[in-house]
Amino acid sequence: SDIYNYTIIRLIRYGVPYYCCHCCVLEEDAASDATEGHDDEDQMYEGEYQGIPHPDEVKAAQRAARAKARQAQAGATELDELAEQYEDIMEDCGHGRFQWTLFIVLGLALMADGVECFVVGFVLPSAEKDMCLSNGEKGMLGLIVFLGMMVGAFIWGGMADKLGRRKCLIWALTINCVFTFLSSFAQGYGFFLFFRLISGIGIGGSVPIVYSYFSEFLQMDKRGEHLSWLCMFWMVGGIYASFTAWGIIPHYGWGFSMGTEFQFHSWRVFVLVCALPAITSLVGLMFMPESPRFLLENAKHDEAWMILKNVHDTNWRAKGQPEKVFQVTHIKAPKTQEDEFIEIQSATGTAIQRWAVRTLTLCEIKNKKYFNVLYCGPITLIPSYFSYYGLGVWFPDMIKYLQQEEYESKVKVFHRERVEHFHFNFSLENQIHREGEYINDKFINIQMKSVKFEDSLFEDCYFEDIESTETMFENCTIRSTVFYNTDLYEERFIDCRLENTTFLHNKKGCHLDIDEENDVLIYLVSFLGSLAVLPGNIISALFMEKIGRVKIIGLSMLISAGCTFFLFLSFSQAAIIAWQCLFCGVSVAAWNGIEVITVELYPASKRATAFGVLNALCKLAAILGTSIFASFVGVTKVVPILLSCTALVCGGLVALKLPETQEKILQ
């Protein structure tokens, strides 16, 4: 009867239906004690013989120390008390099956972000000829994804703090999947560009939401390590994109066509396959709950309590302890979010105004810790993004430039040759023909690659079924000649005199050059760069909690600057690839550190917004880096190296101003 009365009192006080089960548990424990004479909890802890304290004693001591520090701290708020209680709850829930399941689901969303960064680079060699793209259009297509991701990070970060992490991530991934699908079928350049932009806006929300979402299910001593492990999925996305591109795009026949107006080649199949990580993550999110920390901020305590109980029960059942009871009966109920937001949001009328005010409040500098991460954080991470993406473009382009120089050094020059009544049935490659005369010759069913005719005469010649790449006729005279079913258009004839020349059934559109399509360089360099991130991720994850975030950031950026400086000594393709791998492996630790600090420093009501603003600035740095570094390929390597080295050194020094959040409770 005592147990029954105790249960009724607790039910009346808290209104929590859980205590009916608790009553049964107590009764079972009483029966167990009566039959066996003791309970498992009464057994001696095995580690006591070695002088190892019981884990529960360690937790109790840590909580007592935090409570004492809070009492000594003047001006502790209800939100501080909620943050401390939430940390205690997450410690009781433990780290187990639930977190690992969420880790996989959110990791796939982060993997989709990594894939998105590589898609355009892989399909561009094919798409530029499928859509007849100019150099300016190719450059815009390469930058449009980063522009979309920048806008997406800015928008979705603010919305996630207002509407919820899970809901916004589902919408962001849905937009990405839908417009990725549409872009694979887009035949025109304009539609393809637009669909890739909207797809980038969708996936741009994954990074700020994923880190904010996952961090709110982690206890303090697990956050740095497991957020760093989560970063590994971005590298997996790069490897996935490289492998699938290598396996799909060269197979030009993997597709179909409907007349001449609709073509679906292998690179479009690759675009579809790249949506699989986002689709898989989207399906997994349907079975995941909202962040309880977000729900508590919005006064949804019953929903938060049920989610926390589910996390607790899932983890302890997986550990073989289903009898372990979730003992939380009451969660601190602060006022909904922060008072200044309530006043501001009630005073402003439209949703856009409220969102703008919410973003602008991040710029307040009353609190020094916000000042440090808001201004020093971007100054630290932006150089890393600027250098990583800038050198990411510069490395493969520089290697291609070296290959092109080597290729051109082997060019064959033919001077004043005279060919009459000859049938060219073999391909011409890497040749220059000057002041030649071709009389009554036939060029049938051949390929011309890097061929140039200068000051030459073609008379009574016949060209049929010609596929050409970088083939030009300059200052030539062409008389009584027929071009049948060729891709030799007017722009291929520079300052030429065409007399009685006929063009019949010219090939429509731009045609793929199979040799260039099968060039594995673009896939190999990307694959090695992504794979090199793996050791950096592992090291940063293992040492994030041991040596601290700030030291990892500073050390990583200074070593990256050293790797960049040694590029002055690199004159071969192998040396450039080796330094690229080392640079990628080292620089990722700085990313991990600043992302962990951003998550841990800002309170729940501003966390995703702050992360979104920071990520948007980093994407802007990526756009600047790719544009600036690409313009110096073949001109000089001094400027890119000095720019990257200087930016990384400055970023590493500024990192010392960042606050250390190693043992900070998540606000």
Side-chain angles (χ1 to χ4, degrees):
S1 61
D2 291 338
I3 296 175
Y4 178 80
N5 292 334
Y6 172 79
T7 305
I8 294 299
I9 292 171
R10 303 292 282 184
L11 279 169
I12 293 173
R13 182 176 180 182
Y14 295 106
V16 181
Y18 156 78
Y19 284 97
C20 180
C21 297
H22 183 57
C23 174
C24 299
V25 171
L26 291 174
E27 289 176 352
E28 290 175 5
D29 289 344
S32 177
D33 290 342
T35 55
E36 300 182 14
H38 68 279
D39 192 81
D40 291 340
E41 297 295 331
D42 296 330
Q43 296 180 4
M44 183 172 290
Y45 170 56
E46 295 179 359
E48 188 173 338
Y49 290 110
Q50 291 85 27
I52 302 175
H54 195 283
D56 292 339
E57 296 177 0
V58 175
K59 288 182 181 179
Q62 292 174 345
R63 293 178 183 180
R66 289 199 297 262
K68 185 176 180 180
R70 187 185 75 245
Q71 292 175 0
Q73 180 183 0
T77 64
E78 290 181 336
L79 287 173
D80 294 329
E81 295 179 11
L82 171 61
E84 203 165 303
Q85 185 186 16
Y86 191 80
E87 178 64 31
D88 295 342
I89 294 172
M90 294 313 302
E91 288 180 356
D92 290 337
C93 291
H95 190 92
R97 175 178 292 177
F98 180 88
Q99 279 84 0
W100 285 115
T101 304
L102 185 63
F103 174 81
I104 298 298
V105 172
L106 297 182
L108 288 168
L110 199 60
M111 178 179 170
D113 180 89
V115 170
E116 191 77 14
C117 295
F118 290 92
V119 169
V120 171
F122 287 141
V123 304
L124 203 53
S126 302
E128 67 174 307
K129 296 184 178 180
D130 236 8
M131 299 181 181
C132 303
L133 303 182
S134 64
N135 289 332
E137 290 172 333
K138 289 189 294 183
M140 177 58 69
L141 188 57
L143 295 178
I144 199 69
V145 173
F146 287 108
L147 180 62
M149 295 172 77
M150 180 185 72
V151 175
F154 198 67
I155 293 175
W156 291 111
M159 292 180 64
D161 279 336
K162 186 65 178 176
L163 304 177
R165 283 79 163 107
R166 175 180 175 271
K167 181 185 295 184
C168 287
L169 187 56
I170 287 175
W171 276 106
L173 291 176
T174 300
I175 291 174
N176 173 253
C177 293
V178 170
F179 283 91
T180 296
F181 177 81
L182 293 176
S183 70
S184 68
F185 288 92
Q187 298 297 302
Y189 170 75
F191 279 110
F192 185 76
L193 190 72
F194 174 74
F195 291 148
R196 295 313 303 178
L197 172 65
I198 305 302
S199 174
I201 291 176
I203 202 62
S206 63
V207 173
I209 299 176
V210 161
Y211 283 101
S212 302
Y213 191 9
F214 190 51
S215 67
E216 292 168 352
F217 283 97
L218 297 173
Q219 58 198 71
M220 181 173 58
D221 59 346
K222 299 285 187 181
R223 270 200 311 271
E225 177 184 352
H226 287 274
L227 287 174
S228 297
W229 288 125
L230 189 66
C231 294
M232 196 176 298
F233 276 91
W234 196 93
M235 172 271 299
V236 174
I239 294 177
Y240 173 81
S242 303
F243 263 121
T244 52
W246 199 343
I248 295 176
I249 293 179
H251 297 281
Y252 187 64
W254 289 12
F256 60 91
S257 61
M258 298 174 63
T260 59
E261 300 299 326
F262 185 86
Q263 304 287 332
F264 194 89
H265 297 308
S266 57
W267 67 269
R268 298 180 183 273
V269 178
F270 166 71
V271 173
L272 282 179
V273 172
C274 285
L276 291 180
I279 294 173
T280 308
S281 177
L282 190 59
V283 173
L285 281 170
M286 299 300 176
F287 302 94
M288 293 291 107
E290 181 56 85
S291 165
R293 190 67 179 85
F294 168 80
L295 294 174
L296 291 173
E297 285 287 323
N298 289 270
K300 298 180 180 180
H301 301 90
D302 293 341
E303 295 180 39
W305 185 89
M306 293 298 295
I307 292 171
L308 290 169
K309 182 181 183 301
N310 179 55
V311 173
H312 175 278
D313 295 345
T314 300
N315 287 341
W316 289 108
R317 278 198 302 267
K319 294 177 181 178
Q321 301 183 47
E323 73 283 354
K324 197 169 182 67
V325 176
F326 185 57
Q327 299 178 352
V328 177
T329 59
H330 178 69
I331 301 177
K332 182 68 179 177
K335 297 177 183 178
T336 56
Q337 296 188 357
E338 298 174 3
D339 293 337
E340 63 267 25
F341 279 123
I342 301 298
E343 296 173 3
I344 290 172
Q345 291 174 3
S346 62
T348 53
T350 65
I352 295 177
Q353 288 174 320
R354 291 195 295 270
W355 171 80
V357 170
R358 185 181 189 87
T359 303
L360 289 174
T361 54
L362 289 171
C363 299
E364 61 184 3
I365 59 175
K366 296 177 181 178
N367 193 321
K368 185 178 179 180
K369 63 182 182 181
Y370 290 168
F371 174 81
N372 284 343
V373 79
L374 184 61
Y375 296 99
C376 298
I379 295 174
T380 301
L381 192 55
I382 283 175
S384 183
Y385 269 72
F386 176 82
S387 301
Y388 182 88
Y389 284 102
L391 291 177
V393 171
W394 186 81
F395 281 129
D397 284 355
M398 192 64 186
I399 293 172
K400 285 183 177 180
Y401 175 75
L402 294 176
Q403 286 186 331
Q404 185 65 23
E405 278 191 330
E406 182 181 357
Y407 180 78
E408 291 177 355
S409 67
K410 300 177 181 178
V411 65
K412 297 179 181 179
V413 180
F414 299 87
H415 190 67
R416 292 185 177 180
E417 61 179 354
R418 180 180 177 87
V419 181
E420 296 185 51
H421 305 285
F422 187 79
H423 183 188
F424 288 87
N425 58 0
F426 51 87
S427 296
L428 307 178
E429 181 177 353
N430 200 21
Q431 299 176 0
I432 297 178
H433 300 262
R434 294 190 178 122
E435 300 180 12
E437 294 182 3
Y438 305 90
I439 311 299
N440 200 17
D441 295 326
K442 294 183 178 180
F443 301 79
I444 299 178
N445 195 24
I446 64 173
Q447 290 184 346
M448 296 182 178
K449 181 177 180 181
S450 298
V451 179
K452 188 175 184 180
F453 295 93
E454 298 178 354
D455 303 310
S456 298
L457 170 66
F458 293 85
E459 188 170 351
D460 294 323
C461 293
Y462 183 75
F463 292 79
E464 182 179 351
D465 292 331
I466 305 297
E467 292 184 359
S468 61
T469 301
E470 299 179 357
T471 297
M472 307 296 293
F473 297 79
E474 186 173 343
N475 198 28
C476 295
T477 300
I478 303 175
R479 298 173 184 162
S480 304
T481 297
V482 176
F483 294 87
Y484 182 86
N485 193 32
T486 71
D487 59 1
L488 299 173
Y489 305 112
E490 292 183 1
E491 59 268 18
R492 302 289 183 90
F493 301 89
I494 302 174
D495 297 328
C496 292
R497 292 172 295 280
L498 303 178
E499 302 175 4
N500 195 27
T501 298
T502 306
F503 292 87
L504 298 174
H505 301 287
N506 276 3
K507 293 184 178 181
K508 295 182 179 180
C510 303
H511 301 275
L512 301 175
D513 181 77
I514 305 301
D515 293 334
E516 288 187 353
E517 280 257 300
N518 286 330
D519 188 1
V520 301
L521 176 67
I522 188 173
Y523 311 125
L524 180 61
V525 172
S526 174
F527 170 75
L528 292 177
S530 300
L531 189 62
V533 176
L534 179 61
N537 259 312
I538 295 175
I539 293 173
S540 64
L542 294 177
F543 290 94
M544 188 70 71
E545 298 294 346
K546 295 180 180 179
I547 67 176
R549 287 76 161 128
V550 174
K551 291 181 180 178
I552 282 184
I553 296 171
L555 189 61
S556 169
M557 299 193 75
L558 292 177
I559 296 177
S560 299
C563 296
T564 306
F565 183 79
F566 279 105
L567 285 171
F568 279 118
L569 306 178
S570 303
F571 300 99
S572 66
Q573 299 177 32
I576 291 177
I577 293 175
W579 285 114
Q580 177 204 13
C581 293
L582 185 58
F583 172 80
C584 293
V586 173
S587 61
V588 70
W591 294 23
N592 295 356
I594 191 65
E595 287 165 350
V596 171
I597 284 181
T598 305
V599 164
E600 293 179 332
L601 193 59
Y602 277 92
S605 60
K606 299 179 182 178
R607 183 169 296 122
T609 305
F611 211 125
V613 172
L614 177 61
N615 197 254
L617 292 174
C618 291
K619 289 299 189 291
L620 178 60
I623 293 173
L624 294 175
T626 54
S627 302
I628 293 173
F629 281 57
S631 63
F632 286 100
V633 173
V635 179
T636 178
K637 67 178 183 178
V638 174
V639 175
I641 293 174
L642 288 180
L643 276 176
S644 178
C645 189
T646 303
L648 290 169
V649 170
C650 293
L653 295 176
V654 173
L656 300 177
K657 295 290 185 180
L658 290 169
E660 182 56 72
T661 59
Q662 187 172 354
E663 297 181 356
K664 178 181 173 58
I665 293 175
L666 201 65
Q667 296 295 313

